[in-house]
Amino acid sequence: MNFSKNRKYYFVSAFLALAILIFFSFFSKSLLIKSVDKILRSRGVEASRIAFRFPLFFTLKDVKFTEANRFEGGYAEEISFALSLPDPGKIKFLSVEDFRIPFASRMKTGESGDISVSGRNIPDEIRLKNGIIEFSGREIIVDSFSVKTQEDSLTGYFSSSGSFCTINLRDSSGVYLLSARSKDTIKISEYMNLSGFSLKAEITSGSIKGSVRGNFSTSFFGGIETTLEDKIEIDFSASPAVFSLPNRGVRVSTSEDCLMISADSFFSPIKPHEKFEIISYSVSGNLRFCIKEGLFLVDADSLKVSNLRVHSRFICRDTVTFSSLNIPLARLSISFDDSLVEIDTFVFALDNSDVSINGFVDYSDSVRLRISFCGEKISVEDIINFVPDELLPNLSGISGRGDFDVSGYFYYVSCFPESTDFGIGSVFRGVSIDHFGPKIDMDTFSRPFVATVRIGSSKGEKIALGIHNPNFVPIENLPQSLIGAVLVCEDGSFFSHRGFSLFHIRRAMRENLSAGRYISGGSTITMQLARNLFLSDERSLSRKLEEAVLTWQLEKHLSKKRILEIYLNIIEFGPGIRGVQEASKEYFGTDASNLDPLQSAYFASIIPNPRRYYQIQFERGSISPYWHQKLVRIMELELARNYIDSTAFDSFSAIDLEFIDR
């Protein structure tokens, strides 16, 4: 009986004790959650719900960072953290998922100004998953991030857009040793990637010193790759902080939304491109990059590129060295949203004059480009001093005098290349070439001479141009139908231009851009003669520069008739067939002076590719109906320009072309 009473007593006592425990547990949990919520709100963090698990583990749902927090405007769907039992003021574990965190201001360090690896500043373990970090207007995608602190070290990893990077930070007698490494390709921006990245550095109060290595690649300019392997320094004591590559004389700092770069003699190897190789260079000057209202702004001043050595078969056969390229001022803006690059100002300086360039590149749906340029009082001497000797191999030692003004433009639309346009204007003041170097004497060509032609002959073929050569035919003895046919096909404005025809250049540009390959050079007869007399059939910038100079001077030293006379006696009409007299005997068994309008039209039609047409037409013994119609069209143009009369046209357009029996 007594046992039963005692059992009831113990049962009631245990029940009351459990009820009291549950009450106080619920009350203390509720009180603890309210206390945590109050602390978070005071620090600018609001959560729609806070959950608690024993012993000190909290989960926050739908978290927002308010005005009082440096992450103002940020949010996270879930934040979990655990406090230390011995020291509730320290966070042992922190996890953030599905978040967007903007850095409104620079992150603060510990009270002493130093970075702390352990202690109350950093949780023992931090995990971030599926979020975005905004910093200075730039978004960094975080797939996952995890770090752990153990006594004097911090280790972890960072994963972003499929790229993985390991991190290690260790305290060594008050000096923090930082190392980071990634084998993946890190996407810095839409147009730039970093691969093979590694960093080793020492962190002290206010500075970081160490070494960095990485391979940078960009899609600009057809794709450029460069390897950076150098020492780095970051000075946090400066305001703003300064990043530098001491071995290269490069300093980088920030101000508001701008990045400023200055260099004394910067150089970083650039991986050779298939068609273009930069061997060496040295850059000095100042660059400023800003982001304002969605625009990426670039300013440059006192920019100088020294000892620039490049190699490309499109420039010339040899390596080209530019001793100095000076850009005193440049300003451009890039809108990535609108796919637009605007060149506000680009000034290129010669010794005593400047050339200014402006324009735009719109690459939204298709590429649309417009570039304008102008320069005043540009001296011939400045141009000669600027152009490297490798670009003028046949004019080494050239000298001149005078100055000129120049202006022009270029317009191109990739989806409509037929609209390509180009224009140029100039004013010359006392411009002349005094000496062409030891290889060329312009006075020779006004009298009989022996030419060495390298086009179509690698060793060079010598041709005597005068009465001592039985195959030479003076211009007076050539039929008017031949002269007319050649002018109609090759250079309709020959007698009115001064060596260059903007019409020919525009047409060649449109044809080449439409075809996506080189099919037309836009050369006048004088330009073709310059190429035959002095140059090779190499297609390069070097040859075009020399061709331009020599064309200009041929027009100044020779009459139009003399230019045409040399041209018709020197150009190729088939394999090993030079000049119109040899061609007339080979194809038709007659002298050039006896050519009829149909034969003349045929010779004019094969000038662009005489060796090919020799094989597919002459060796077969006939021309196609299509080619016959082409010859008729040439004679129609001759008739319209009075090179032949209607009787000749009617007679020869009605008959077939016959080659000599072989």
Short mmCIF file of all heavy atoms in Angstrom, two decimals, residues 20 65 120 187 244 272 300 460 496 593:
data_model
loop_
_atom_site.label_atom_id
_atom_site.label_comp_id
_atom_site.label_asym_id
_atom_site.label_seq_id
_atom_site.Cartn_x
_atom_site.Cartn_y
_atom_site.Cartn_z
N ILE A 20 7.95 21.06 -16.27
CA ILE A 20 8.74 22.29 -16.00
C ILE A 20 9.92 22.38 -16.96
O ILE A 20 10.24 23.45 -17.48
CB ILE A 20 9.20 22.29 -14.53
CG1 ILE A 20 7.99 22.46 -13.60
CG2 ILE A 20 10.22 23.40 -14.29
CD1 ILE A 20 8.33 22.25 -12.12
N PHE A 65 19.59 41.41 -46.45
CA PHE A 65 20.56 42.32 -45.85
C PHE A 65 20.07 43.75 -46.09
O PHE A 65 19.88 44.17 -47.23
CB PHE A 65 21.95 42.12 -46.46
CG PHE A 65 22.50 40.73 -46.26
CD1 PHE A 65 22.42 39.79 -47.28
CD2 PHE A 65 23.06 40.36 -45.06
CE1 PHE A 65 22.92 38.51 -47.12
CE2 PHE A 65 23.56 39.08 -44.87
CZ PHE A 65 23.49 38.16 -45.90
N ARG A 120 38.35 34.98 -33.26
CA ARG A 120 36.93 35.30 -33.34
C ARG A 120 36.55 35.88 -34.70
O ARG A 120 35.38 35.98 -35.02
CB ARG A 120 36.56 36.32 -32.25
CG ARG A 120 36.85 35.80 -30.84
CD ARG A 120 36.64 36.91 -29.83
NE ARG A 120 35.24 37.32 -29.77
CZ ARG A 120 34.34 36.80 -28.94
NH1 ARG A 120 34.68 35.82 -28.14
NH2 ARG A 120 33.11 37.22 -28.93
N LYS A 187 37.07 31.75 -66.34
CA LYS A 187 36.48 32.76 -67.22
C LYS A 187 36.46 34.10 -66.50
O LYS A 187 35.66 34.34 -65.60
CB LYS A 187 35.07 32.36 -67.63
CG LYS A 187 34.47 33.27 -68.69
CD LYS A 187 33.12 32.75 -69.15
CE LYS A 187 32.54 33.63 -70.24
NZ LYS A 187 31.24 33.14 -70.72
N SER A 244 51.21 46.02 -58.11
CA SER A 244 52.35 46.28 -58.99
C SER A 244 53.07 45.00 -59.36
O SER A 244 53.05 44.00 -58.63
CB SER A 244 53.33 47.26 -58.34
OG SER A 244 53.85 46.71 -57.13
N PRO A 272 52.47 32.85 -80.05
CA PRO A 272 52.35 33.13 -81.49
C PRO A 272 51.02 32.67 -82.05
O PRO A 272 50.51 31.60 -81.71
CB PRO A 272 53.51 32.32 -82.10
CG PRO A 272 54.46 32.09 -80.97
CD PRO A 272 53.62 32.00 -79.73
N ALA A 300 43.94 56.63 -72.55
CA ALA A 300 45.39 56.42 -72.57
C ALA A 300 46.08 57.74 -72.82
O ALA A 300 45.60 58.57 -73.59
CB ALA A 300 45.78 55.41 -73.63
N GLY A 460 64.43 35.67 -112.02
CA GLY A 460 64.42 36.96 -112.71
C GLY A 460 64.73 36.79 -114.18
O GLY A 460 65.71 36.15 -114.56
N SER A 496 43.58 59.65 -117.16
CA SER A 496 43.08 60.75 -116.32
C SER A 496 43.57 60.67 -114.86
O SER A 496 43.60 61.69 -114.17
CB SER A 496 41.54 60.77 -116.32
OG SER A 496 41.02 59.55 -115.84
N SER A 593 51.67 44.38 -134.59
CA SER A 593 51.12 45.51 -135.34
C SER A 593 49.96 45.08 -136.24
O SER A 593 49.20 45.92 -136.72
CB SER A 593 52.21 46.17 -136.18
OG SER A 593 52.80 45.22 -137.06
#
